[in-house]
Amino acid sequence: MNLLEFSFLSGVLTATAPVLLAALGGLICQVAGVFNIALEGQLLWGAFTAVVVSDLTGSAWAGVLGAVAATVLFSGLLSAASVAWRADPIVVAVGVTLLALGLTAFLMRQIFGSGGTYTSPDLAGLPTLAELGLDVPVLGPLVPLAAVLVAATAWRLGRTRSGLRVRGVGQHREAAEAAGLRAGAYRHGVVLVAGALCGLAGAQLALGNVTLFSECMSAGRGWIAVVAVMLSGVLPGRLLPACLLFGVAEAVGFRLQGAGLPQQAADAAPYVITLVALVLAAVAARRRAPEKGST
Amino acid sequence: MIRRVVLSTPVVAIGGALLLTTLVLVVVGVDPAVAYPALIRGAVADGNLEYTIAAFVPTLGMAFAIPLRAGQFNLGGDGQLSAGGIAAAALALLVPLPPVLAIGLPLVVLLAGIWWYADGRTVLGYEIRATGHNREFARYGGVRVDRLAAIALAGGGGFAGLAGGLIVLGPPYRFVDGALTAPGYTFTAVAAVLLAAARPAVVPVTVALLTVLQVGGQGMEREAGVPSQLTQIVQGLIIVIVAVFATVRGRRATE
Amino acid sequence: MELAAELVGVTKRFGPVLANDGVDLAVARGEVHAVVGENGAGKSTLMSVLYGLHRPDSGHVLRAGQRIRLRSPADAIRHGLGMVHQRFRLFPDLTVAENVVIGAEPVTAGRLDRAAAHRAVTDLSDRYGLRADPSARVGTLPVGVRQRVEILRALHRRAEVLILDEPTAVLTPGEADRLFEVLRTVAATGVAILLVTHKLTEVLAASDRVTVLRQGRVTGRFTTAGTDADELVHAMIGRSLTPPAPRRLARPDGAPALGVQDLTVRDGDDVPRLTAVSFAVRPGEIVGIAGVAGSGQRELIDAVTGLRPPGESGRILLDGLPVRQGRDPRVAYVPEDRHGRATAPELSLAEDLLMGAQHRLARGRFGLPSAAVRARARDLSERFAISAASVDIPISALSGGNAQKAVLARELTRESRVIVVEEPSQGVDVGVRERVHALLIEARDRGTAVLLQSSELAELRELADRILVLFEGRLVAEFTPDATEARLGQAMTGVLP
């Protein structure tokens, strides 16, 4: 296989993974009827805590676990505000995202003593699959895990008891309660699971895609994930096109930067391309809908 | 009694946010007795007050840009702010304009006054509030809600552009990359408007409060070595607390 | 007689409204026990207490002689209680089988066992004659079948006490008869059935015993075989069914104030909701609109008031001129949905009363003096006996009856030639109901044309000078107010030509 092509493909998959994991978290919330648009904040917090724990312990795996645990904890605030107290999801998302921005930048200065970007030889990045003894170079272990999790989520939601209940809670809260389900508990649960997935996403971003933390490094990936969820029709498999599109655009932008494109343009490219494509897709879908008649 | 309920949200939000901030300070090993005076000095001491006002003006301008009163959210503020900044810079190249501190503060204070009057004492203000509280009620009452929402959004965009212009025309009198969006005027304005429940008489107060916090944060960083990002944390906490209290109060009112 | 469940001394208050006041009710195994009362008598609240949806302020529940605590429907289900709600609690996008088993799903090797779920539905269907396709999506089913799904779910959970809240409200007379047969079969297996209704014919036809509620209290207990309609009515409304007070007849005169000509309205899926509807309302008469819920009332009223976006055919004329889109100011309108449409709950009473008069009160081009706004609100509060601590408190702090009086005050003082009223006495007490009726009669006698929609036939017969019946979006009959409820009911369900 042509190394150049393969490295491009792995670049695409690597860029896709964090967005896909975060979007999966958002999708689970959506299925249970929780409008979670705080993915950006959860993702950033996951990236930061992954770097802190990895730096302290010297173990990337500890970083991954730490990010998952810390982001679940952080999501407790989100679930308390938006599920228990039923606060406006948009306002809460703004607050939580701002809080994540502030907390990471603040703690970064407290812990690492400087702002901007932090990297260090002590900071352990995730190994590639090749280093783990598998015959696949370059890719990190969380990338295939993301794909596996998408399939597992689809199975869980569609085929199991808990999946049916989560879908029920999302469709009609009163009906779920009348059927004896504790709707609130399921909704808290999905927000925390989304936290775990965003923790993984953050770990992949900060320890897999690169090995560093910089302020605002989520850079809108959480918002892209929100859009992917909205376009997915809450089917996990349908997250893939939007997330892969972003991955391709980012990988292309990275290549073009190598070819002399200004950095700002390369940075903006994946977002512009993804959003334009997604808006076009949404418009096309809406055009098609009336022709098909009623659903 | 009603008055007490209305007042309680900002009080609880600010109190809660201060409490949590103090907790953060203590956890990271900073004496709050050092940090808070440094914060106040950083905002209002000689020479610093000018910066506080310079930040207050565009933030208040941005606060007008958020049509929460009409039940709408406008989070595209940064883009509009930049557009206004670019336009103002272009205009300034063609037409000589007076320095902004001379006109900026009086201008936004005047606008705040007009806004307060329009909100409480005009048909347009009434219809905007009715739409914000219950869109279907306004539609039922014969208000042309779509037109009104468009007016509110467009007006908001205009104010955001104005705020951008005021920043560019202020010190250091040039279009600096990142100067418009980096200080987070939009987020600060969102926090202030939420905190004031969009009541026009209260918005300038909450904007002033958060601006002092933000500018003072830099003083605190210089004097006490506390990263100024602390102010972002406080704002985030305020927004979450306000969101929670607004719904808890709303539910109590309807039950 | 073996008691399946008892409510003992149940009291429940909602703000100023005492919904249940020391209610005792016992239901035995194998009986069909009717709970009757007028709208607002406290039947639904009582059943919600029994199903764990509301917690009583005092009193408790016994199940098979044991005191139980009900904090949620989950508790109730665990104690063998099942409920069929008036507004179905079903998942529209799930299948019949999924709706039936959810909460007690058959699981094999970690997976939902769909085959077992389908079998469970088919078994129960066959045993009780409740036919439903297990793989059909519930959202696509007619209401009668949806109700069966709710019953199947309760049976799947092995309910020993089955509560049905106004089950026939959505059924045709034929379907209702079928339902009663099913209930008989279920009761024969030892299940206790509580049948909540306000229709006496059903009580007499389908129950073994009856408990009557009025204004939150038990006013009668009977065995069905030993009572009759007169006795039940007396317990329900506190007086015998004498003809209502002699009504002053309408004296409609002149050309129609409201004319509806050949109105057809289609919904987003191009399904006709109203078909070729024509009628007129003259000044000085009240025309009632009757129909089973969802027969086109909503579409008709939205069209008449101008609130429905264009896309309909036919004409609506006010004094001969076409209605204006986006709410015609020439029509006063009292909507059914008090919180969603008729008020903005968080605005003050004064501001809620202002809607529609804001331009009239404005001074010059811009000013809207708050003194004038509040003075007008105080004046209306006095004239319409709205009791509120001040006109500055949010309207949501008022009781339902006072909020309704406020809406009426605002709309009746618009001085419109036409007033459209939906469900004017829903959720208000008897006193307010009488006041509301008096106000509508007054408006009529002043020469206003009144279009009245109500799901309460008694209300229509009391107020309306003519009653038009909507069935599946068509006007199918017109009655004088002395028509019997039976005949009206037949027309509403498409039985009568």
Side-chain angles (χ1 to χ4, degrees), chain B residues 227-239:
Chain B
S228 60
Q229 281 74 18
L230 188 66
T231 58
Q232 261 181 350
I233 300 177
V234 178
Q235 283 175 13
L237 287 173
I238 286 177
I239 293 178

Side-chain angles (χ1 to χ4, degrees), chain B residues 59-79:
Chain B
T59 311
L60 186 55
M62 281 309 294
F64 297 133
I66 297 156
L68 188 65
R69 206 60 162 166
Q72 308 245 341
F73 238 109
N74 172 13
L75 293 178
D78 275 351

Side-chain angles (χ1 to χ4, degrees), chain A:
Chain A
M1 180 177 277
N2 184 330
L3 186 66
L4 194 75
E5 279 175 20
F6 186 82
S7 75
F8 179 71
L9 182 64
S10 83
V12 169
L13 295 178
T14 304
T16 303
V19 182
L20 184 58
L21 285 165
L24 197 56
L27 178 126
I28 294 171
C29 291
Q30 192 83 12
V31 171
V34 180
F35 186 42
N36 179 2
I37 56 164
L39 299 172
E40 177 79 4
Q42 290 175 296
L43 177 61
L44 181 64
W45 181 250
F48 177 70
T49 49
V51 166
V52 170
V53 176
S54 168
D55 192 62
L56 289 177
T57 60
S59 156
W61 291 110
V64 173
L65 289 179
V68 169
T71 313
V72 168
L73 209 64
F74 184 69
S75 305
L77 175 69
L78 187 63
S79 93
S82 60
V83 179
W85 292 312
R86 299 186 212 173
D88 185 292
I90 297 177
V91 179
V92 171
V94 170
V96 165
T97 303
L98 196 57
L99 189 63
L101 278 170
L103 264 180
T104 52
F106 178 83
L107 292 176
M108 181 182 188
R109 284 164 177 78
Q110 289 293 315
I111 296 172
F112 301 130
S114 74
T117 297
Y118 173 80
T119 185
S120 140
D122 298 338
L123 183 59
L126 282 164
T128 60
L129 288 175
E131 290 169 274
L132 292 172
L134 286 165
D135 192 18
V136 187
V138 198
L139 276 186
L142 297 190
V143 177
L145 180 65
V148 170
L149 284 175
V150 169
T153 304
W155 182 80
R156 185 92 195 252
L157 287 176
R159 300 281 171 193
T160 68
R161 176 158 74 182
S162 55
L164 175 67
R165 292 181 175 186
V166 166
R167 281 187 286 143
V169 166
Q171 269 181 39
H172 195 331
R173 188 188 173 114
E174 285 78 29
E177 277 166 1
L181 304 182
R182 291 171 53 199
Y186 283 96
R187 292 190 170 182
H188 280 298
V190 294
V191 175
L192 299 184
V193 170
L197 288 165
C198 286
L200 280 180
Q204 169 62 25
L205 185 64
L207 301 176
N209 294 30
V210 289
T211 308
L212 58 82
F213 178 79
S214 68
E215 286 179 52
C216 312
M217 79 181 290
S218 50
R221 286 177 178 81
W223 298 112
I224 296 281
V226 168
V227 177
V229 172
M230 288 176 177
L231 292 177
S232 68
V234 294
L235 291 173
R238 288 211 209 143
L239 290 173
L240 285 170
C243 296
L244 275 170
L245 179 67
F246 176 82
V248 170
E250 185 172 289
V252 169
F254 193 65
R255 289 277 162 118
L256 289 178
Q257 199 185 334
L261 191 73
Q263 190 210 330
Q264 287 87 343
D267 285 348
Y271 300 96
V272 174
I273 293 170
T274 308
L275 285 177
V276 168
L278 294 183
V279 167
L280 289 179
V283 170
R286 189 171 288 187
R287 284 246 178 87
R288 228 175 307 124
E291 283 167 26
K292 268 191 286 181
S294 62
T295 44

Side-chain angles (χ1 to χ4, degrees), chain C residues 141-326:
Chain C
L141 299 173
V143 279
V145 184
R146 287 189 212 190
Q147 185 175 63
R148 282 178 226 159
V149 176
E150 284 229 332
I151 298 173
L152 285 168
R153 177 197 283 167
L155 294 172
H156 176 71
R157 291 296 191 84
R158 299 179 197 288
E160 291 177 8
V161 178
L162 181 60
I163 307 160
L164 296 104
D165 191 2
E166 303 276 4
T168 57
V170 294
L171 301 182
T172 62
E175 286 177 319
D177 290 342
R178 286 276 307 119
L179 172 68
F180 295 139
E181 277 170 40
V182 168
L183 295 183
R184 281 273 153 232
T185 320
V186 174
T189 65
V191 172
I193 292 179
L194 279 162
L195 176 66
V196 178
T197 178
H198 61 266
K199 298 181 189 163
L200 293 183
T201 47
E202 290 177 0
V203 174
L204 294 169
S207 72
D208 300 308
R209 291 197 300 152
V210 192
T211 297
V212 184
L213 291 178
R214 183 170 83 237
Q215 291 175 31
R217 292 195 197 160
V218 175
T219 51
R221 290 177 221 278
F222 308 96
T223 56
T224 310
T227 189
D228 58 23
D230 277 349
E231 197 177 20
L232 290 174
V233 166
H234 189 81
M236 265 171 78
I237 63 179
R239 55 183 160 85
S240 299
L241 194 63
T242 48
R247 22 186 310 147
R248 282 189 294 156
L249 287 176
R251 283 167 308 208
D253 64 323
L258 169 66
V260 175
Q261 298 174 354
D262 209 20
L263 178 69
T264 295
V265 174
R266 289 167 187 280
D267 66 12
D269 293 334
D270 213 30
V271 176
R273 310 297 304 190
L274 278 180
T275 309
V277 169
S278 300
F279 66 93
V281 186
R282 282 171 296 166
E285 71 168 343
I286 299 179
V287 171
I289 300 286
V292 175
S295 298
Q297 297 97 321
R298 162 93 286 118
E299 291 77 9
L300 176 63
I301 286 174
D302 280 359
V304 166
T305 52
L307 281 171
R308 195 171 194 82
E312 57 208 16
S313 63
R315 296 211 294 170
I316 295 166
L317 303 174
L318 296 167
D319 282 330
L321 299 170
V323 73
R324 205 178 303 163
Q325 288 298 323

Side-chain angles (χ1 to χ4, degrees), chain B residues 2 117 121-123 126-127 129-130 133-134 136-143 253, chain C residues 307 327 333 335 339-343 347 351-352 355 358-359 366-368 410-411:
Chain B
I2 300 302
Y117 178 81
R121 302 278 187 276
T122 68
V123 171
Y126 169 69
E127 292 187 344
R129 271 183 298 130
H133 276 103
N134 183 350
E136 176 63 18
F137 169 66
R139 195 175 83 87
Y140 149 77
V143 177
Chain C
L307 281 171
R327 178 68 197 271
Y333 172 29
H339 299 298
R341 183 177 267 183
T343 68
L347 285 184
E351 289 170 319
D352 269 293
M355 185 52 79
Q358 67 267 36
H359 292 286
F366 293 110
L368 185 64
R410 182 184 68 209
E411 296 304 318

